[in-house]
Amino acid sequence: MAARNEARDETVAAFREAVNMTPARLGKWLATDESKSVGQSDGGESVRHASSRRVVKLLHTKKGNLTEGIP
């Protein structure tokens, strides 16, 4: 269990280092028209926009509530 927690901590640290915006700032940007025009789309929400919403959700998730699966 300790190895699993250590691996999770390392993953969380790498993720937070890679994301260069706070959840609030990213959420605010996602509400702009500019963000909605970025990335590939089939007429609906772009892939990049959808993945950015997922990043906001992950940033708001407490480390202890993260699992190996994608909820």
Side-chain angles (χ1 to χ4, degrees), residues 8 12 16 57-58 61-69 71:
R8 181 193 61 208
V12 168
R16 297 206 178 199
K57 184 176 180 179
L58 285 170
T61 303
K62 291 182 181 181
K63 185 168 48 174
N65 292 336
L66 294 170
T67 63
E68 291 181 23

Side-chain angles (χ1 to χ4, degrees), residues 17-34:
E17 184 177 322
V19 176
N20 63 357
M21 295 175 86
T22 64
R25 186 171 173 203
L26 182 53
K28 186 175 180 178
W29 182 79
L30 286 171
T32 67
D33 289 338
E34 178 186 6

Side-chain angles (χ1 to χ4, degrees), residues 1-62:
M1 179 103 161
R4 179 180 255 168
N5 287 339
E6 186 176 322
R8 181 193 61 208
D9 292 348
E10 290 173 10
T11 301
V12 168
F15 176 77
R16 297 206 178 199
E17 184 177 322
V19 176
N20 63 357
M21 295 175 86
T22 64
R25 186 171 173 203
L26 182 53
K28 186 175 180 178
W29 182 79
L30 286 171
T32 67
D33 289 338
E34 178 186 6
S35 77
K36 295 173 185 170
S37 67
V38 176
Q40 277 187 302
S41 173
D42 60 358
E45 182 179 35
S46 74
V47 173
R48 184 169 296 174
H49 198 269
S51 64
S52 295
R53 285 188 306 103
R54 177 80 175 116
V55 168
V56 171
K57 184 176 180 179
L58 285 170
L59 289 170
H60 281 295
T61 303
K62 291 182 181 181

